[in-house]
Amino acid sequence: MKAYTVEYRITGNEVRSISFLAKNKIDAYDKAVYELIPEKEGEMPYSAWVSSVTYQNGNCRRFNTFEGNPY
C-alpha cells in the first residue's frame, strides 16, 4: 500500500487535506470522500481530489488533478 493525500473543500475557499494508506488512486478517493472526510468533518466534502502519493521508498509524486478531475 502507498500513502495517498486527498485535498478537499467543505465550504468556501479553504483547501484541507488528509493522508492515509490505500491501494490505488480510485480507492483513495472513495475512502476519503465516503469514509474519512465525513468522519473527520461531520459532513461530505463539497469537492475532493487525489493530490499525491508517497511510495515506501520515500519518493513522492504529485498528480495533475483538481476539483473537476479528481483522479
Side-chain angles (χ1 to χ4, degrees), residues 19-43:
S19 297
F20 55 92
L21 297 177
K23 297 175 191 171
N24 54 49
K25 284 181 10 178
I26 295 171
D27 181 49
Y29 177 83
D30 289 345
K31 187 174 184 178
V33 170
Y34 300 112
E35 296 174 28
L36 301 177
I37 296 170
E39 183 179 295
K40 180 180 176 182
E41 303 288 348
E43 61 184 302

Side-chain angles (χ1 to χ4, degrees), residues 8-62:
Y8 63 96
R9 293 182 201 271
I10 296 295
T11 57
N13 290 328
E14 181 184 358
V15 175
R16 300 176 187 181
S17 66
I18 189 169
S19 297
F20 55 92
L21 297 177
K23 297 175 191 171
N24 54 49
K25 284 181 10 178
I26 295 171
D27 181 49
Y29 177 83
D30 289 345
K31 187 174 184 178
V33 170
Y34 300 112
E35 296 174 28
L36 301 177
I37 296 170
E39 183 179 295
K40 180 180 176 182
E41 303 288 348
E43 61 184 302
M44 294 288 286
Y46 172 75
S47 63
W49 58 98
V50 181
S51 61
S52 67
V53 61
T54 303
Y55 299 97
Q56 288 180 339
N57 65 6
N59 290 345
C60 183
R61 177 178 176 220
R62 297 265 319 153

